Amino acid sequence: MGSVAVDFKNPATSSLLEVVKARRTYYDLKGESSISDDALERIVQDAVLHVPSSFNTQTSRVVLLLKEEHKKAWDIAIKAMEGLVAAGHVPKEMFENHTKPKLNSFKAAYGTVLFFVDYESLGPIKEKFAIYADKFDPFAMESSAMSQYLVWLALESEGLGANLQHYSPLVDEGIAKTWNLPASWKLDAQLVFGTPNSGPGEKTFAPLEDRFKVFGK
Ligand SMILES: Cc1cc2nc3c(=O)[nH]c(=O)nc-3n(C[C@H](O)[C@H](O)[C@H](O)COP(=O)(O)O)c2cc1C
């Protein structure tokens, strides 16, 4: 069972869903962009402004790193991993043959979007709505994930490829220090992007009928 064939009232809906289908994970990226830095900035700004958050708490914080600044982020990860190797926590061979080439491939891309959550800003609302107190942190992460997905889609729509990484807490200190970020910004994810050198890998889909139901159609 594939998705149902439909003519939408607004062609923009079809276009949106085409982008949703086209978005994939691209690891093999080069340090070029099909769009201007202003256009990249606009995509990220619109995600920060317009992606919803629970009770409109606006907990997402985002940093856009381009070119040399982007490379710094992955040098921080390489250095942090080297520290783990030196301390005997990561086998040197694994780092040299696997981890370092992977981190260098991220470094070879054009930019990285760092997604943070400011959990500390939730203090007052947790007190005000004590009954929901334990829900606000996961809601904040969900809102961050929505921002990540929106930026990923917009980059895809503009001909860029991206992959989503999670190097926190390894890189947290280096990142906060390098860009002098507020201590309350907790790093969640890193979206690496650039011009794809090659296509995405194979992707399989579990049957839709096992994952979706409709009633009352
Ligand atoms: C919440 C989430 C976390 C992910 N974390 C990572 C990650 O840490 N490293 C990575 O290489 N890919 C990560 N991915 C990418 C997934 O592996 C990928 O989206 C999935 O295999 C489907 O492939 P596609 O993106 O090409 O559709 C993550 C994706 C999601 C949605």
Side-chain angles (χ1 to χ4, degrees), residues 23-25 27 152 164-166 203:
R23 183 222 51 82
R24 293 293 315 279
T25 291
Y27 291 111
W152 199 344
L164 190 64
Q165 299 303 321
H166 296 87
K203 184 175 179 180

Side-chain angles (χ1 to χ4, degrees), residues 24-165:
R24 293 293 315 279
T25 291
Y26 293 84
Y27 291 111
D28 187 10
L29 302 168
K30 61 180 160 222
E32 292 170 16
S33 175
S34 50
I35 59 174
S36 67
D37 291 348
D38 278 352
L40 291 165
E41 192 176 0
R42 168 69 187 277
I43 287 169
V44 176
Q45 286 177 335
D46 277 359
V48 173
L49 280 175
H50 300 297
V51 165
S53 55
S54 78
F55 290 80
N56 199 27
T57 43
Q58 302 176 59
T59 35
S60 289
R61 308 285 181 264
V62 184
V63 172
L64 172 62
L65 299 173
L66 301 171
K67 295 167 275 194
E68 291 311 309
E69 297 298 307
H70 147 85
K71 288 191 199 321
K72 280 186 197 170
W74 296 103
D75 280 335
I76 289 167
I78 290 168
K79 209 169 153 211
M81 286 299 302
E82 281 170 350
L84 293 184
V85 173
H89 297 313
V90 171
K92 190 172 168 55
E93 201 185 307
M94 190 176 106
F95 172 69
E96 291 296 341
N97 297 332
H98 181 71
T99 316
K100 196 173 178 185
K102 190 169 68 169
L103 294 171
N104 273 323
S105 79
F106 301 150
K107 189 177 164 184
Y110 187 76
T112 300
V113 191
L114 304 175
F115 292 89
F116 302 79
V117 176
D118 190 339
Y119 294 104
E120 287 180 22
S121 68
L122 289 168
I125 201 159
K126 282 180 181 170
E127 264 180 44
K128 190 169 171 197
F129 299 103
I131 192 167
Y132 283 123
D134 62 337
K135 299 276 190 262
F136 283 108
D137 286 1
F139 283 162
M141 198 181 270
E142 285 163 21
S143 180
S144 172
M146 289 182 186
S147 304
Q148 294 161 36
Y149 185 55
L150 176 62
V151 173
W152 199 344
L153 286 179
L155 294 175
E156 173 77 45
S157 182
E158 290 294 313
L160 288 157
N163 63 75
L164 190 64
Q165 299 303 321

